[in-house]
Amino acid sequence: MQRPTWATVLGTLMILFGGCGVMNDVKQINTPALIDFQDDLMEELATEFGPGQLDQEDLEVLRSISPDSLTADIDTSMTTEDFTSLIKATTYLSPEVSQKLVKYGYWGLIVSVLYIITGILFFARRRHVLSIAVSILVLSLIFCVIQIIDYRSTNISQLMQIGLDLSLSVGGFIDVVLLVILAIVDKSYYTASDIQEDFYDRD
């Protein structure tokens, strides 16, 4: 029996999304290092532009390298201290949030790896892959919801809150879409009686 297209697509998507999840989780785990890097960057900016009032040329440089959310707040009259304070306030993470990001990064890494393994199992035609996939997708969805709720009760800047909410909402939406796909497709390929329990079963 030939593997259906939906199984190939779903397996590939789960491997890709799991890989992206791994990269994001590693970034979360390295949050303390990123915060230290931000502090070093602020010191470099302060040294580069010097103390006191920024001239128009410096302001134009800052506007060109700043995110859209910061560019609108760069006034025509601003000191280096004002600008560094603006960036720190916009990207503020309390120590509590930093610790939670690291903790959820480790847990998320496990979920992402399970995502990848489940995607691979779709290609191996394992009998229980459907129930495994549903379990992992539900687990991932619950994990996203828990994080959204937890981060809402912490001290974090509005910009960072929006970024986290968006990232987690997209992840939860992907889980729901994949669950819907699993609910509506013809699953006979994985429930047929001729399935061999060998991991390397061939069509």
Side-chain angles (χ1 to χ4, degrees):
M1 182 182 294
Q2 185 175 6
R3 181 187 304 111
T5 302
W6 70 263
T8 302
V9 172
L10 191 64
T12 302
L13 288 177
M14 292 197 73
I15 293 172
L16 290 176
F17 291 146
C20 292
V22 167
M23 291 188 290
N24 185 64
D25 297 328
V26 170
K27 289 180 182 178
Q28 280 193 216
I29 294 171
N30 291 324
T31 296
L34 292 175
I35 293 176
D36 291 339
F37 173 75
Q38 182 194 52
D39 292 338
D40 292 340
L41 180 60
M42 293 302 98
E43 291 180 7
E44 287 293 331
L45 281 174
T47 302
E48 179 69 23
F49 292 103
Q53 199 80 13
L54 296 174
D55 58 33
Q56 289 302 311
E57 183 178 347
D58 290 339
L59 288 172
E60 288 302 321
V61 171
L62 293 176
R63 288 192 182 94
S64 67
I65 64 175
S66 300
D68 293 339
S69 56
L70 290 178
T71 303
D73 293 325
I74 298 179
D75 202 349
T76 56
S77 178
M78 177 176 282
T79 65
T80 304
E81 293 77 11
D82 292 334
F83 180 73
T84 55
S85 297
L86 175 63
I87 293 181
K88 288 182 178 180
T90 306
T91 60
Y92 176 72
L93 292 175
S94 68
E96 178 190 7
V97 175
S98 179
Q99 292 173 1
K100 286 185 177 183
L101 282 169
V102 174
K103 178 184 70 176
Y104 286 133
Y106 280 112
W107 284 107
L109 191 59
I110 295 174
V111 174
S112 297
V113 170
L114 290 175
Y115 232 88
I116 294 174
I117 293 174
T118 304
I120 294 173
L121 290 179
F122 272 105
F123 291 95
R125 199 189 179 192
R126 300 294 286 177
R127 182 181 298 278
H128 302 294
V129 66
L130 297 175
S131 57
I132 293 173
V134 171
S135 299
I136 295 303
L137 290 172
V138 171
L139 174 64
S140 178
L141 179 59
I142 293 174
F143 185 56
C144 288
V145 173
I146 289 174
Q147 289 182 84
I148 291 175
I149 295 173
D150 197 11
Y151 287 131
R152 293 282 176 86
S153 63
T154 54
N155 187 8
I156 185 173
S157 70
Q158 183 178 8
L159 179 63
M160 296 300 292
Q161 182 71 68
I162 292 173
L164 285 171
D165 284 350
L166 179 61
S167 176
L168 293 169
S169 297
V170 170
F173 177 75
I174 290 173
D175 293 332
V176 171
V177 170
L178 297 184
L179 282 169
V180 170
I181 292 174
L182 275 176
I184 63 177
V185 295
D186 177 11
K187 294 176 276 292
S188 58
Y189 177 76
Y190 294 99
T191 58
S193 58
D194 65 336
I195 293 181
Q196 300 296 319
E197 290 300 326
D198 184 0
F199 183 87
Y200 298 101
D201 176 52
R202 297 179 180 177
D203 295 335

